[in-house]
Amino acid sequence: MNLRPLALLFLTVSVASAGVEVDIEKFGSSLGGWNKEKKKAAEYKFSEVYYRTYKPEVTAAPDGGVFISVRVDHLRGMFSSDDHASLEMSFAPDGTLLSSQAAISIQSRRISSDMFRSGGSSAAKAAGEFVGGTAEKAAKLSSNVFANLAGKLLRENVTEPGRIAYPAALRHNYNLLYQCVKFVKDPPKALVVEGDPIRPKPPEPQGAPENMFDLRTFGEAPKEEKKEEPKKEGDTAKP
C-alpha cells in the first residue's frame, strides 16, 4: 500500500476550524483530574464538602455556537443517596456567553434558577482570547444565576452543609469552565511538505568512476600476473 498520497493529504488539509473550543482536559485538571468513574469524572473537596463533576457535554448549536452542560453531584456518604445538579452555559458563534442556568435535584425536589442572559453580543474576539465579552459581564451573569438559585434553595428549609453550599460549588465550576472556553478566529495552516515523511526514498546507488571496475557489479578485478625479468648475458649461476 502506497502511503505517500495519504501522508500528503494529512499535511495539506487544515486540521482546525474557527469557532468556540472547550478545553475539557484543562477543566478536569483544575478540579484535580478526570480520575474517577472510569476517567469520566473528578472528585474534590469544596467548602469542607465532597463533590463530583463529570466531563462536560458540548453540543454544537444550529447557529454555529455551542451549548455546554455539566453534571455536578453532592457526595453525601455511603449510607445516603447523592444529590445531583446541572450547570448549563450557551455561547454564540463569536464566543459571546449568551446565557446560563443551574438546577439542583434533592431527593424528589428540583430547584432551578431562572434563565439569565447576557446584555447582548460583543465583537468577535482575537484568536485564543477568553470568551464571554468581558470578565465583568460573565461575573455578573454568574452572580444572578447562583444568587437566584441559593434563594430558592433556602426556601426549601435545607440544613445539610453540603446542600447549603451547593450553589457556591456550582459557581466554582462555572468560573473554572469559563476559563477553559476559547474562541479561535484563524485556524493554524498546515504546510505542504514534498516527499513521503513516513517512508523516505532511499538514496540512489552511484556507480564506479569511468574506466574503473564497479566491484558491486563485476566482483573483484582480475589480478595481474607477475612477469620475470630476462636474464642479462654474462650472468651465470653461482655454484
Side-chain angles (χ1 to χ4, degrees):
M1 178 179 177
N2 189 1
L3 299 178
R4 185 176 180 180
L6 183 60
L8 290 176
L9 177 63
F10 286 145
L11 290 171
T12 56
V13 175
S14 177
V15 297
S17 58
V20 180
E21 294 184 354
V22 184
D23 192 338
I24 295 179
E25 291 306 315
K26 179 181 177 181
F27 178 52
S29 297
S30 66
L31 294 171
W34 304 119
N35 48 27
K36 299 294 182 180
E37 302 295 319
K38 299 181 179 180
K39 307 296 182 179
K40 296 180 180 180
E43 292 185 5
Y44 50 93
K45 193 175 184 180
F46 178 81
S47 192
E48 301 302 319
V49 181
Y50 286 96
Y51 295 92
R52 178 192 296 131
T53 297
Y54 289 82
K55 286 186 176 181
E57 295 183 4
V58 182
T59 307
D63 62 354
V66 296
F67 174 77
I68 307 174
S69 177
V70 185
R71 172 182 165 184
V72 181
D73 290 349
H74 166 215
L75 307 182
R76 302 179 62 232
M78 186 180 298
F79 302 104
S80 301
S81 58
D82 297 337
D83 298 325
H84 308 288
S86 62
L87 171 62
E88 299 174 353
M89 303 171 72
S90 181
F91 293 87
D94 67 352
T96 302
L97 177 60
L98 295 178
S99 62
S100 183
Q101 187 177 26
I104 297 173
S105 296
I106 297 176
Q107 297 177 353
S108 60
R109 295 173 293 175
R110 177 178 173 83
I111 303 101
S112 179
S113 74
D114 296 338
M115 172 69 74
F116 287 90
R117 302 181 182 276
S118 63
S121 297
S122 62
K125 306 299 173 292
E129 184 181 353
F130 287 131
V131 303
T134 62
E136 291 80 8
K137 181 182 292 186
K140 181 179 179 181
L141 188 62
S142 68
S143 297
N144 293 335
V145 170
F146 301 111
N148 181 261
L149 181 64
K152 292 183 177 181
L153 185 64
L154 290 176
R155 289 197 291 268
E156 297 292 329
N157 297 320
V158 296
T159 58
E160 190 172 333
R163 289 174 174 175
I164 296 175
Y166 222 155
L170 291 175
R171 186 171 185 174
H172 175 65
N173 279 264
Y174 173 100
N175 293 337
L176 295 176
L177 182 57
Y178 172 80
Q179 299 178 50
C180 298
V181 181
K182 291 184 178 181
F183 175 73
V184 179
K185 185 177 180 181
D186 297 319
K189 296 180 180 179
L191 299 176
V192 178
V193 180
E194 295 182 357
D196 189 348
I198 300 178
R199 187 173 51 191
K201 185 178 179 181
E204 295 182 359
Q206 298 180 356
E210 190 177 356
N211 299 328
M212 293 184 63
F213 287 104
D214 189 345
L215 300 182
R216 294 172 299 176
T217 305
F218 302 101
E220 296 182 359
K223 297 181 180 179
E224 295 183 0
E225 295 182 359
K226 186 177 181 181
K227 297 181 180 180
E228 295 182 359
E229 296 182 359
K231 295 181 178 181
K232 297 181 180 179
E233 293 181 1
D235 291 345
T236 58
K238 293 182 179 182

